[in-house]
Amino acid sequence: MKKVEHMYSELIKNAFTLVKQEIKSNVYGHDFWHIERVYKCALYIAQYETCDLFIVAFSAIFHDFYDDKFNSDTKKKEKKEGVKKFFLKNKISEEITDKIFTVINEVHFKGSHVDDAVSTKEAMIVQDADRLDALGAIGIARAFACGAYFNQNIYEPEIEPQAHYSFNEYRNNKTTTVNHFYEKLLRLKSNMKTEKGKEIAEERHVFMETYLEKFFNEWNMQL
Ligand code: ADP
Ligand code: NI
């Protein structure tokens, strides 16, 4: 953890500044603090793995920078170009930049029944770190915040959780935030890619199950 921060402290600081400028006003659970948590968590997991810390650090910092949830295709292209320029200006090779873009592309959840295999150890680490922030106490808070962005109800008994077999199905699925727990969040634990990720997910998963039990007790007026 110390190594990459020490060697590239200026570059990391500048990358964070760029990210902060772009996403300062996201109130849907995708604010700057999500990026900081994923970054810290990724470097924490990386301590237990053999990997390229530079790729891990910068993939974590930019992982949601041009996220499709909040950016049109045009905006997405524009922002990705901005990241490219940032690396170019700082003399980072095209090969490394491309590796970082591959990690970012692979980490995102694409649907309950869509293969989420990744091709590198760095992607495993960043995917696990990102997913851990969707679990536990913070994960619950983020889900309800994000649900507001999608204009979803907290819960709607008549809407069943859905299985998605493509990214389009997932993205276009009209759901509720409680359903999102069953469609995505509770499925993450068994798909964690690193040992540390699995360990941390276990405890956060149990907490969410307890939360849902309480939610339904209250919903059903079990007083
Ligand atoms: P990914 O790109 O893998 O979705 P992100 O960090 O961008 O990862 O976003 C994940 C967060 O967004 C999770 O905390 C999740 O709860 C929230 N989220 C995504 N879709 C929904 C949804 N339909 N309802 C509620 N929360 C959602
Ligand atoms: Ni994220």
Side-chain angles (χ1 to χ4, degrees):
M1 188 154 176
K2 287 276 174 291
K3 214 167 76 191
V4 70
E5 295 197 319
H6 176 70
M7 286 172 69
Y8 297 101
S9 59
E10 216 29 51
L11 198 54
I12 287 172
K13 208 175 87 200
N14 293 343
F16 268 122
T17 304
L18 182 60
V19 167
K20 205 167 196 170
Q21 276 165 5
E22 276 299 327
I23 60 168
K24 55 183 179 294
S25 59
N26 189 304
V27 294
Y28 304 113
H30 287 74
D31 55 16
F32 172 74
W33 302 109
H34 166 62
I35 305 304
E36 196 185 76
R37 285 190 302 271
V38 171
Y39 168 78
K40 283 184 176 163
C41 186
L43 288 188
Y44 173 78
I45 295 173
Q47 289 176 304
Y48 301 90
E49 305 285 342
T50 307
C51 63
D52 183 330
L53 281 180
F54 186 92
I55 308 262
V56 169
F58 286 92
S59 304
I61 294 173
F62 287 115
H63 85 274
D64 276 340
F65 194 76
Y66 48 90
D67 183 358
D68 79 282
K69 288 194 277 308
F70 302 105
N71 295 287
S72 63
D73 282 354
T74 319
K75 203 84 195 123
K76 211 174 148 177
K77 259 189 212 143
E78 223 174 77
K79 286 195 177 174
K80 193 171 170 185
E81 217 39 56
V83 179
K84 224 181 224 175
K85 270 196 200 132
F86 172 83
F87 285 130
L88 198 65
K89 200 176 86 192
N90 288 289
K91 303 195 168 35
I92 305 304
S93 74
E94 207 172 313
E95 192 196 342
I96 292 180
T97 303
D98 282 347
K99 280 187 183 168
I100 291 170
F101 285 147
T102 303
V103 172
I104 293 175
N105 186 41
E106 288 182 348
V107 298
H108 298 289
F109 187 79
K110 299 176 180 76
S112 64
H113 290 71
V114 180
D115 185 11
D116 69 352
V118 296
S119 58
T120 60
K121 182 51 78 66
E122 290 76 19
M124 289 181 188
I125 294 168
V126 179
Q127 189 184 71
D128 278 10
D130 191 28
R131 290 179 173 190
L132 286 173
D133 208 51
L135 301 180
I138 288 180
I140 294 170
R142 291 185 67 225
F144 287 103
C146 194
Y149 174 72
F150 287 118
N151 209 16
Q152 290 167 189
N153 259 354
I154 291 172
Y155 179 55
E156 181 55 66
E158 286 176 4
I159 305 179
E160 293 277 322
Q162 302 292 313
H164 328 108
Y165 295 91
S166 71
F167 179 63
N168 269 349
E169 269 180 50
Y170 170 57
R171 194 45 87 231
N172 298 323
N173 176 208
K174 183 82 191 115
T175 191
T176 69
T177 299
V178 166
N179 280 1
H180 186 67
F181 282 72
Y182 297 94
E183 292 168 352
K184 172 183 174 187
L185 305 180
L186 294 172
R187 307 178 69 87
L188 297 178
K189 179 185 71 132
S190 49
N191 264 319
M192 300 302 284
K193 309 288 190 303
T194 66
E195 281 314 305
K196 266 291 153 198
K198 278 181 196 145
E199 211 178 292
I200 305 167
E202 191 65 49
E203 173 258 322
R204 295 188 186 184
H205 180 98
V206 171
F207 181 76
M208 290 203 307
E209 282 183 328
T210 308
Y211 170 78
L212 287 169
E213 201 182 314
K214 183 101 175 79
F215 182 96
F216 284 112
N217 282 346
E218 291 178 15
W219 189 275
N220 295 318
M221 289 292 153
Q222 291 183 1
L223 305 172

